[in-house]
Amino acid sequence: MAAPRAGESDRTVLLQHKILARNDGIAGRNRDWLRQRGVLMLNLMSSPGAGKTTLLERTARDLAGTLSFAVIEGDLQTALDATRIGAAGCRVVQINTGVGCHLDAAMVASALRVLDPAAGSMVIIENVGNLVCPAMFDLGEAVRVVLASVPEGADKPVKYPHMFRQADLVLLSKADLLPYVNFDTERYTSDVRAISPGARMMRLSAVTGEGMPDWYQWLRDRNPAAAGR
Amino acid sequence: MAAPRAGESDRTVLLQHKILARNDGIAGRNRDWLRQRGVLMLNLMSSPGAGKTTLLERTARDLAGTLSFAVIEGDLQTALDATRIGAAGCRVVQINTGVGCHLDAAMVASALRVLDPAAGSMVIIENVGNLVCPAMFDLGEAVRVVLASVPEGADKPVKYPHMFRQADLVLLSKADLLPYVNFDTERYTSDVRAISPGARMMRLSAVTGEGMPDWYQWLRDRNPAAAGR
């Protein structure tokens, strides 16, 4: 059983750097374009099934008429999430990545062309469910939100530090399941503080509504339509 | 905002094919080596926090003295899982992938050299928590087990079909949480049947012990040490 050959590996790393550099260039153009238009874009990332879509559904319904946002949905396959988000009243574009484990800045650029978000509006990207790859790809967002769910366990921040390190906001979702699982809240909290000292932390449940007002206030504080009022 | 340039994308796909072809070559050598030695290797895959480590901990403790297995642990960072598995009585090798979203056949080859599994033994790989990338990388395993947990929701098979399509066994874990979440068992079951018609399905909970005897019997039926007895 041969060990990996260095040459192949070097070429791989070189191409990965090129791909990331090219992605960062497009992400920068997305960011400039959004800033000029006064649009705030948020990148929401988590494991599969941590509750991103349910959070956005409830948020759209609860904030209808007071704060609106469009959604870019990233999934390998299906338009299930886009259908749910559309039914909750949002404008939505679905991107299917096939076997791709993350959205990239070019995909988001294409989605933004379709959405054509109005000046002063918000766009929320629901990234592919994955705690690894999406952390590497800047999409041009202004803020990054990482969602970790209670049943996943308290060790996710230390096991997936790249994801949590870049978060502006870390949401602990499915708080309604805390009575039924073994989740060490103290350990989780101190790990997130150590890995991402600047991140705001919130605990919520889109089922019971616990913690949702804090999340809504956090969104309102960043709503470009409200700036300067 | 420019669309992706075709040339870059073509080179990327070409290199991806080369990486996968090279991986498949090493995986084939792993498989030949294990077959000659009479060792059964199992690749266990799931989302982050779906319960792979807890399942293996309980399995090792419950089967102590009757069926033993060594474990190859894949994680981006930390040796937390290896420590847990070692405490449950298994021989274990931890591989840290850094920012890598999956184990590859070369990493497993190195781990097998360290483990040096005895003839007639079993090796269980706990892959990196990720429903996307590990599906693409053959490690030389004889059987693939995909674990989906109840709180992730019933839509995972249709949203991550590549992972479920290749499974020999699909475990629905954390069955103890069924009373507390909205999980459409019928839909999940019919989706898994449609995507992976040949896969065996089981429902279990490593907390309550529900369904564990079926899983143990499935392991025993594949135990090379018992073959021909």
Side-chain angles (χ1 to χ4, degrees), chain B residues 16-220:
Chain B
Q16 281 171 348
H17 277 294
K18 276 187 68 178
I19 290 169
L20 286 174
R22 192 172 156 275
N23 179 77
D24 287 350
I26 301 171
R29 292 201 289 283
N30 288 352
R31 190 170 281 113
D32 290 344
W33 185 86
L34 291 160
R35 196 185 292 126
Q36 281 162 25
R37 200 173 257 225
V39 173
L40 186 104
M41 189 164 77
L42 188 158
N43 186 2
L44 177 61
M45 294 170 283
S46 81
S47 296
K52 296 184 293 304
T53 313
T54 303
L55 176 71
L56 295 183
E57 280 180 308
R58 175 148 189 174
T59 302
R61 293 205 166 100
D62 286 355
L63 299 188
T66 63
L67 185 148
S68 70
F69 54 87
V71 176
I72 298 173
E73 274 295 339
D75 283 295
L76 275 70
Q77 306 265 335
T78 81
L80 292 172
D81 288 352
T83 305
R84 287 171 59 186
I85 293 295
C90 291
R91 294 184 58 221
V92 58
V93 171
Q94 176 81 51
I95 300 173
N96 282 138
T97 61
V99 296
C101 54
H102 60 88
L103 293 177
D104 66 29
M107 297 171 187
V108 170
S110 304
L112 286 173
R113 273 195 294 268
V114 176
L115 278 177
D116 193 27
S121 69
M122 292 181 83
V123 175
I124 301 183
I125 300 166
E126 184 181 338
N127 217 314
V128 175
N130 184 340
L131 277 189
V132 189
C133 315
M136 316 263 286
F137 285 80
D138 182 10
L139 304 179
E141 69 273 12
V143 278
R144 292 190 163 202
V145 181
V146 175
L147 187 147
S149 70
V150 162
E152 289 174 75
D155 61 355
K156 293 301 147 304
V158 289
K159 290 181 70 183
Y160 300 86
H162 308 287
M163 181 55 82
F164 287 84
R165 193 170 290 139
Q166 304 177 36
D168 298 292
L169 173 63
V170 179
L171 298 175
L172 180 62
S173 66
K174 306 196 187 184
D176 53 295
L177 294 179
L178 277 167
Y180 312 114
V181 298
N182 183 10
F183 186 90
D184 185 341
T185 307
E186 252 178 71
R187 176 200 173 170
Y188 167 84
T189 306
S190 72
D191 284 349
V192 173
R193 286 228 176 91
I195 291 164
S196 188
R200 175 87 187 271
M201 294 174 71
M202 291 180 200
R203 183 173 117 177
L204 49 75
S205 164
V207 175
T208 64
E210 174 194 343
M212 296 293 281
D214 286 345
W215 156 244
Y216 296 152
Q217 191 55 49
W218 188 91
L219 280 177
R220 277 190 211 102

Side-chain angles (χ1 to χ4, degrees), chain A residues 161-216:
Chain A
H162 308 287
M163 180 56 82
F164 286 84
R165 193 170 291 137
Q166 304 176 34
D168 298 292
L169 172 64
V170 178
L171 298 175
L172 180 62
S173 65
K174 306 195 187 186
D176 52 294
L177 294 179
L178 277 167
Y180 311 114
V181 298
N182 182 10
F183 186 90
D184 185 340
T185 307
E186 252 178 71
R187 176 200 173 173
Y188 167 84
T189 306
S190 73
D191 285 348
V192 173
R193 286 230 175 89
I195 291 165
S196 187
R200 174 87 185 274
M201 293 174 72
M202 291 180 199
R203 182 173 117 177
L204 51 75
S205 164
V207 174
T208 64
E210 173 194 340
M212 296 293 282
D214 286 346
W215 157 243
Y216 296 153

Side-chain angles (χ1 to χ4, degrees), chain A residues 110-130:
Chain A
S110 304
L112 287 173
R113 272 196 294 267
V114 176
L115 278 178
D116 192 27
S121 68
M122 293 181 82
V123 175
I124 301 184
I125 299 165
E126 183 182 337
N127 217 314
V128 175
N130 184 340

